[in-house]
């Protein structure tokens, strides 16, 4: 990283991280944050996002290491590259945060979300709903004569698609967990 | 020593083991057990303030002038909420504070008990970190971690909320060395490759500037010493933010004055025209940059900061270096010397700067009939320069004039509310400074409106015989608000003056201190001498010109090279887009 290779006067479009400050499109990033599972830690993270005006598309949290009381928070956020970098740095400097991984930057990773989708219909629509669920690899976890509850664990896009398919077939309500994500391959995130 | 103690004993023992000498506080129901323990010992001095906001600002003044963390002890509910402004101020200006608050007993939390507030919830965004301690066994560990977090990395306030039953219960004490502090370990050593790139820029720069800030002072006296070496060896011009004044001496050859909204013409033009900017412990605040996309358009920028989130927040930089200022400067100087301390001839650049300096941007119209506020500060400076002196300020025009007309040759001598801009900061801060430096001259340069916000602390000054000098520039106006209304809001002076000001001399007497009033420039020197000679707190009512504006000024939304230099050029200078900004 030699500043000498930069064109003088390039600061408005600084070569550090090689991005333009010209109108930037928003990017969607998935961040994985390992935190101490202490009281208030989720409020701290959410407070950072609301206080500084960052977006949260989804956020999931649960303790993932019971022995050392560590929780993993997976956040899907959108913003300009500069804002994404800020979010990363702001999260990283929080005292209970052990590490922040920007999975979108790192590349190949798996994202999954779980949804429970309730569909109520009869006759032909009911048959069609069951057939679509089968095609989309959704599992029926509750059934009555007039309804199904499907469980689908997929990427957020595919869940969106499934919900759209169910809409004309008697969609009643949906509960979604938000995204959980890990890197591909044998390397851990931290 | 038994390691089994009550929570209240643990608090006092932990403070002693952390080397705390002074606590600023105010008792109340939820901290009575701790106050009982304070009563039984003599090692830690307790300063009783008159309002919890005063405790926090006094602790800030203490911390800023000593480099040690300031400690605050207040009760639950209103005690804690009153301290919120001070904590926010400390967060913005990176001042290490450890705030201990009482809380209702654990079994009453959440029941809307008397004097209950969700203190950790309220203070989460205005502290670096906070803790509610529910178990006496965790108390010592948490307090030690609190001190560690407050003083490591970018300093800031922490809060520890201690329910009353936790103070009464017995638990195990652990010493600071046994506390779990290792989990918070910010990086202090800069990246070698980045420092090398910065040195390369030092060598190649034709129009350089060193732009320094409060981070140099927070890093400690070693950082200021290294900065002076860097400036001396490179011969580069140096400017500083409001928070960084004193890190480099105002009498030094590299000094071109403060930069920013009310900085000097030469400093801002140097920033605008430079080809290499070395930002050391500053954060490209909006008061510094002015219009972002016109900020120093032709420069490559190096940014040294201990807080990674400061990098590229407002201004993209070319060479970011995350680390402690002293460590980074040490390595930078070592590499620079290793490579032969080569630099380009910057005399042409200095010649240009001297031309800008010749504009004499701080010139004001003198008067023999009324005291000009700038004149008052100039005389105060002339009569106290060279003394063992500490200066605090309130917020507003007087603050900017003090920054423009006073010179600081050492770090930790200038205490002001920069980031948050807290009116009412100066009086309690001056008390905190005087507690830390009982033999030194401590002056609070104030405006009458700011000063009234925490004037109750004069009671503290009198009680503890703290000879703080309150130098009030009294224009019977909220001067900076009035200036903005004149420049931006069509001279509609909405609620920016006071019609019922107290008689400050009588007020001084009522507090049991000395009052001096001066309204004639001919008498000013004698009056200031009288203030300095008096062995006790003084309230100095300096009646000044009512409609003086603070110049130079970069109007909101304008660039550094679009400064207003004086009254003549102000008409219509700020567009409607600028009026939206603060």
């Amino acid at each position: 990283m030699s500043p000498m290779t930069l064109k003088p006067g390039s600061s408005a479009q600084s070569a550090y991280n090689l991005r333009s400050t010209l109108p930037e499109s928003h990017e969607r990033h998935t961040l994985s944050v390992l935190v101490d599972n202490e009281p208030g830690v989720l409020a701290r993270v959410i407070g950072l996002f609301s206080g500084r005006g960052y977006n949260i598309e989804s956020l999931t949290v649960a303790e993932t290491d019971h022995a050392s009381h560590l929780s993993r928070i997976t956040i899907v956020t959108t913003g300009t590259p500069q804002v994404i970098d800020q979010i990363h740095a702001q999260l990283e400097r929080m005292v209970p945060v052990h590490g922040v991984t920007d999975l979108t930057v790192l590349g190949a990773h798996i994202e999954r979300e779980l949804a429970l989708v309730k569909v109520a219909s009869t006759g032909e629509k009911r048959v069609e709903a069951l057939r679509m669920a089968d095609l989309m690899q959704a599992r029926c976890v509750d059934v009555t004569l007039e309804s199904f509850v499907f469980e689908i664990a997929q990427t957020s896009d595919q869940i969106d698609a499934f919900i759209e398919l169910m809409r004309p077939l008697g969609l009643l309500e949906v509960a979604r967990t938000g995204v959980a994500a890990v890197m591909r391959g044998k390397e851990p995130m931290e | 020593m038994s390691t089994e103690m009550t929570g209240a004993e643990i608090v006092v023992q932990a403070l002693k083991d952390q080397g705390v000498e002074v606590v600023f506080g105010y008792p109340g129901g939820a901290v009575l057990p701790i106050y009982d323990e304070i009563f039984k010992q003599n090692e830690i001095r307790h300063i009783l303030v008159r309002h919890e906001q005063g405790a926090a600002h006094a602790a800030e003044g203490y911390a800023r002038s000593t480099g040690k963390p300031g400690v605050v002890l207040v009760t639950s509910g209103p005690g804690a909420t009153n301290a919120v402004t001070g904590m926010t101020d400390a967060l913005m200006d990176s001042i290490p504070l450890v705030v201990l608050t009482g809380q209702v007993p654990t079994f009453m939390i959440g029941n809307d008990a008397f004097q209950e507030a969700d203190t950790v919830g309220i203070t989460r965004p205005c502290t670096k970190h906070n803790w509610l301690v529910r178990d006496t066994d965790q108390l010592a560990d948490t307090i030690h971690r609190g001190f560690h977090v407050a003083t490591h990395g970018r300093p800031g306030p922490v809060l520890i909320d201690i329910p009353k039953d936790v103070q009464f219960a017995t638990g195990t004490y652990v010493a600071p060395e046994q506390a779990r502090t290792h989990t918070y370990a910010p990086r202090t050593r800069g990246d070698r490759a980045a420092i090398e790139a910065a040195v390369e820029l030092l060598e190649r720069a034709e129009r350089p500037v060193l732009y320094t800030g409060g981070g140099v002072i927070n890093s400690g006296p070693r950082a200021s010493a290294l900065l002076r070496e860097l400036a001396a060896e490179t011969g580069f011009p140096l400017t500083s933010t409001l928070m960084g004044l004193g890190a480099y001496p105002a009498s030094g050859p590299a000094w071109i004055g403060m930069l920013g909204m009310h900085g000097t013409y030469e400093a801002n033009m140097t920033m605008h025209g430079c080809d290499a900017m070395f930002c050391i412990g500053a954060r490209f605040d909006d008061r510094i940059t002015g219009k972002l996309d016109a900020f120093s358009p032709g420069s490559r920028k190096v940014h040294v900061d201990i807080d990674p989130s400061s990098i590229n927040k407002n201004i993209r930089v070319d060479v970011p270096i995350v680390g402690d200022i002293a460590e980074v400067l040490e390595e930078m100087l070592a590499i620079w010397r290793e490579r032969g301390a080569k630099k380009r001839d910057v005399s042409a650049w200095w010649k240009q700067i001297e031309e800008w300096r010749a504009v004499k941007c701080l010139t004001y119209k003198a008067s023999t009939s009324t005291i000009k506020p700038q004149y008052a500060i100039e005389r105060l400076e002339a009569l106290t320069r060279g003394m063992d002196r500490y200066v605090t300020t309130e917020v507003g025009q007087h603050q900017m004039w003090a920054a423009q007309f006073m010179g600081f040759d050492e770090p930790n001598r200038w205490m002001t509310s920069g980031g948050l801009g807290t009116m009412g900061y100066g009086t309690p801060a001056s008390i905190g400074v005087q507690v830390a430096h009982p033999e030194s001259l401590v002056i609070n340069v104030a405006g009458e409106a700011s000063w009234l916000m925490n004037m109750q602390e004069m009671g503290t000054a009198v009680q503890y015989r703290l000879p703080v000098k309150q130098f009030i520039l009294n224009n019977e106006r909220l001067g900076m608000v009035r200036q903005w209304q004149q420049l931006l809001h069509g001279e509609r002076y909405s609620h920016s003056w006071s019609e019922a000001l107290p008689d400050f001399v009588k007020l001084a007497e009522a507090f049991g201190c000395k009052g001096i009033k001066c309204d004639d420039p001919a008498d000013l020197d004698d009056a200031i001498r009288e203030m300095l000679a008096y062995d006790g707190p003084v309230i100095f009512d300096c009646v000044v010109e009512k409609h003086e504006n603070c110049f130079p000024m970069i109007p909101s939304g304008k660039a550094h090279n679009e400064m207003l230099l004086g009254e003549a050029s102000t008409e219509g200078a700020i567009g409607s887009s600028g009026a939206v900004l603060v």
Side-chain angles (χ1 to χ4, degrees):
Chain A
M1 182 189 55
S2 170
M4 293 308 122
T5 56
L6 304 175
K7 195 169 107 281
S10 62
S11 294
Q13 293 146 50
S14 167
Y16 174 72
N17 75 17
L18 301 169
R19 281 172 184 147
S20 160
T21 51
L22 296 169
E24 290 163 310
S25 54
H26 280 225
E27 294 178 358
R28 184 171 180 274
H29 282 240
T30 305
L31 305 174
S32 181
V33 189
L34 199 61
V35 298
D36 285 326
N37 185 15
E38 61 179 32
V41 66
L42 186 59
R44 241 175 254 288
V45 170
I46 291 172
L48 171 73
F49 276 74
S50 65
R52 293 187 183 264
Y54 305 145
N55 298 313
I56 299 179
E57 293 222 328
S58 87
L59 185 147
T60 65
V61 59
E63 189 170 85
T64 50
D65 182 344
H66 298 306
S68 42
H69 298 292
L70 292 177
S71 290
R72 186 175 298 286
I73 301 177
T74 308
I75 306 167
V76 180
T77 183
T78 56
T80 61
Q82 191 179 4
V83 165
I84 300 286
D85 285 348
Q86 263 295 302
I87 292 172
H88 194 136
Q90 293 285 356
L91 284 169
E92 203 135 56
R93 73 171 183 158
M94 296 177 93
V95 173
V97 170
H98 287 247
V100 181
T101 309
D102 188 331
L103 295 164
T104 308
V105 167
L106 279 188
H109 64 277
I110 313 280
E111 289 189 14
R112 283 294 179 274
E113 184 178 356
L114 186 125
L116 295 173
V117 181
K118 185 176 283 185
V119 180
S121 49
T122 52
E124 199 50 43
K125 281 186 176 179
R126 184 172 160 86
V127 177
E128 185 64 8
L130 201 57
R131 211 168 65 83
M132 286 297 153
D134 190 42
L135 278 174
M136 297 289 285
Q137 292 169 5
R139 227 156 53 87
C140 180
V141 290
D142 178 70
V143 59
T144 69
L145 288 174
E146 289 158 10
S147 70
F148 297 116
V149 176
F150 295 115
E151 170 200 277
I152 177 166
Q154 267 299 351
T155 62
S156 300
D157 285 350
Q158 279 171 301
I159 290 174
D160 286 344
F162 180 67
I163 290 166
E164 282 316 303
L165 281 173
M166 290 300 117
R167 201 172 295 282
L169 301 177
L171 179 75
L172 265 186
E173 60 191 5
V174 180
R176 297 173 71 152
T177 59
V179 171
V182 288
M183 293 294 298
R184 283 185 184 275
K186 76 176 168 70
E187 297 304 321
M189 282 186 276
E190 281 86 22
Chain B
M1 185 183 73
S2 163
T3 56
E4 286 293 307
M5 301 179 193
T6 67
E9 286 170 339
I10 285 174
V11 169
V12 172
Q13 187 60 46
L15 295 182
K16 285 179 186 171
D17 286 353
Q18 287 291 341
V20 173
E21 291 164 359
V22 186
V23 170
F24 299 91
Y26 203 100
V31 279
L32 284 178
I34 298 172
Y35 269 86
D36 212 22
E37 289 307 315
I38 285 178
F39 185 80
K40 294 176 193 164
Q41 57 84 49
N42 282 317
E43 282 173 63
I44 296 172
R45 189 175 179 207
H46 178 273
I47 304 291
L48 175 71
V49 295
R50 297 300 184 268
H51 185 289
E52 289 89 348
Q53 187 189 352
H57 293 321
E60 283 188 276
Y62 178 90
R64 188 79 180 162
S65 68
T66 60
K68 294 190 275 191
V71 180
V72 175
L73 174 62
V74 294
T75 194
S76 63
T81 56
N82 279 344
V84 162
T85 302
M87 283 185 268
T88 313
D89 192 272
L91 186 72
M92 292 287 271
D93 285 344
S94 309
I95 311 291
L97 289 191
V98 176
V99 180
L100 305 171
T101 51
Q103 181 55 279
V104 302
T106 48
F107 53 84
M108 292 173 85
I109 289 177
N111 287 353
D112 298 327
F114 177 64
Q115 292 196 327
E116 181 186 354
D118 176 10
T119 302
V120 287
I122 289 168
T123 60
R124 210 172 271 133
C126 66
T127 52
K128 194 173 162 188
H129 198 64
N130 63 15
W131 294 265
L132 168 65
V133 183
R134 290 174 171 274
D135 178 358
T136 309
D137 279 330
Q138 298 297 318
L139 185 53
D141 183 69
T142 307
I143 295 173
H144 296 318
R145 286 171 72 194
F147 275 89
H148 178 81
V149 169
T151 53
H152 285 73
R154 180 176 177 175
V158 301
L159 179 140
I160 301 160
D161 200 24
I162 313 171
K164 198 170 182 181
D165 56 334
V166 172
Q167 299 171 33
F168 276 124
T170 308
T172 307
Y173 182 77
V174 295
E177 310 78 58
Q178 295 158 302
R180 291 171 298 139
T181 53
H182 61 276
T183 54
Y184 183 71
R187 175 174 170 178
T188 56
R189 201 179 162 81
D191 177 58
R192 171 98 188 173
I195 298 175
E196 278 172 356
V199 171
E200 204 174 332
L201 206 52
L202 282 175
E203 292 166 348
R204 304 266 190 115
E206 290 174 21
R207 303 188 309 280
V209 65
L210 302 171
Y211 150 43
T212 68
V216 182
I217 292 168
N218 280 335
S219 178
R222 176 108 189 94
S224 291
L226 289 162
L227 177 68
R228 291 161 191 224
E229 284 180 37
L230 181 70
E233 290 190 29
T234 58
F236 291 174
L238 187 149
T239 179
S240 164
T241 66
L242 182 72
M243 294 308 293
L245 298 178
Y248 183 83
S251 55
W255 182 241
I256 56 172
M258 181 177 79
L259 81 160
M261 184 174 270
H262 294 288
T264 65
Y265 182 68
E266 52 270 32
N268 286 327
M269 291 303 282
T270 301
M271 289 288 282
H272 190 78
C274 67
D275 71 340
M277 179 185 294
F278 300 88
C279 170
I280 303 168
R283 58 184 178 91
F284 297 98
D285 174 77
D286 57 77
R287 282 296 180 275
I288 295 305
T289 60
K291 192 179 181 188
L292 279 176
D293 51 16
F295 175 74
S296 193
S299 63
R300 295 185 184 115
K301 299 173 184 72
V302 175
H303 187 184
V304 188
D305 202 300
I306 199 160
D307 178 3
S309 77
S310 287
I311 308 270
N312 291 334
K313 183 170 65 183
N314 300 328
I315 294 286
R316 295 278 171 84
V317 296
D318 305 296
V319 185
I321 304 173
V322 175
D324 174 63
I325 303 297
E327 284 190 39
V328 171
L329 285 184
E330 187 138 40
E331 198 167 349
M332 194 183 284
L333 275 163
I335 296 172
W336 154 265
R337 286 166 187 157
E338 253 167 52
R339 290 165 55 139
K342 297 172 291 201
K343 64 170 181 104
R344 292 216 178 171
D345 178 12
V346 293
S347 57
W349 180 228
W350 267 110
K351 194 159 165 269
Q352 170 67 68
I353 293 169
E354 291 306 332
E355 277 172 34
W356 287 325
R357 208 201 296 259
V359 167
K360 294 193 185 305
C361 66
L362 296 180
T363 309
Y364 59 91
K365 216 168 164 186
S367 164
T368 51
S369 54
T370 60
I371 300 175
K372 287 286 187 147
Q374 302 95 324
Y375 177 74
I377 303 281
E378 271 187 324
R379 294 317 303 157
L380 181 68
E381 165 73 357
L383 296 171
T384 59
R385 189 85 190 253
M387 290 184 179
D388 174 17
R389 176 187 78 177
Y390 293 83
V391 176
T392 69
T393 75
E394 304 286 347
V395 169
Q397 287 181 322
H398 67 273
Q399 178 190 29
M400 294 297 110
W401 283 316
Q404 290 172 341
F405 289 93
M406 299 189 92
F408 298 92
D409 287 343
E410 289 172 62
N412 305 98
R413 295 277 172 164
W414 163 253
M415 272 57 57
T416 192
S417 170
L420 194 64
T422 310
M423 293 171 72
Y425 166 89
T427 306
S430 70
I431 284 167
V433 174
Q434 190 81 75
V435 166
H437 309 278
E439 303 301 325
S440 307
L441 170 64
V442 181
I443 306 169
N444 176 31
V445 176
E448 86 291 344
S450 282
W451 191 82
L452 287 173
M453 282 201 179
N454 272 323
M455 67 163 192
Q456 77 284 348
E457 298 304 332
M458 289 314 290
T460 310
V462 172
Q463 178 170 341
Y464 295 95
R465 297 185 189 159
L466 304 168
V468 290
K469 313 302 182 202
Q470 306 296 318
F471 191 75
I472 302 171
L473 299 181
N474 182 356
N475 60 1
E476 300 170 20
R477 302 286 183 280
L478 281 66
M480 193 61 93
V481 172
R482 194 209 59 78
Q483 175 168 346
W484 280 54
Q485 288 172 336
Q486 181 186 346
L487 298 179
L488 287 155
H489 293 273
E491 302 184 34
R492 291 180 295 279
Y493 300 116
S494 182
H495 302 276
S496 54
W497 74 95
S498 320
E499 277 181 354
L501 287 169
D503 178 328
F504 287 97
V505 173
K506 281 188 186 158
L507 188 65
E509 284 159 9
F511 271 116
C513 50
K514 185 178 179 65
I516 300 172
K517 181 174 180 171
C518 182
D519 55 9
D520 186 342
D523 300 336
L524 185 59
D525 278 20
D526 284 343
I528 291 174
R529 286 198 192 94
E530 188 187 352
M531 172 182 87
L532 298 173
Y534 184 72
D535 183 21
V538 177
I539 299 172
F540 190 117
D541 181 11
C542 187
V543 181
V544 297
E545 161 67 44
K546 298 189 197 319
H547 302 113
E548 193 72 12
N549 283 336
C550 184
F551 289 109
M553 177 181 185
I554 302 176
S556 300
K558 297 278 182 172
H560 278 178
N561 59 346
E562 298 175 283
M563 286 196 96
L564 305 180
L565 284 171
E567 304 285 355
S569 54
T570 58
E571 195 68 26
I574 305 171
S576 55
S577 61
V580 179
L581 303 170
V582 289

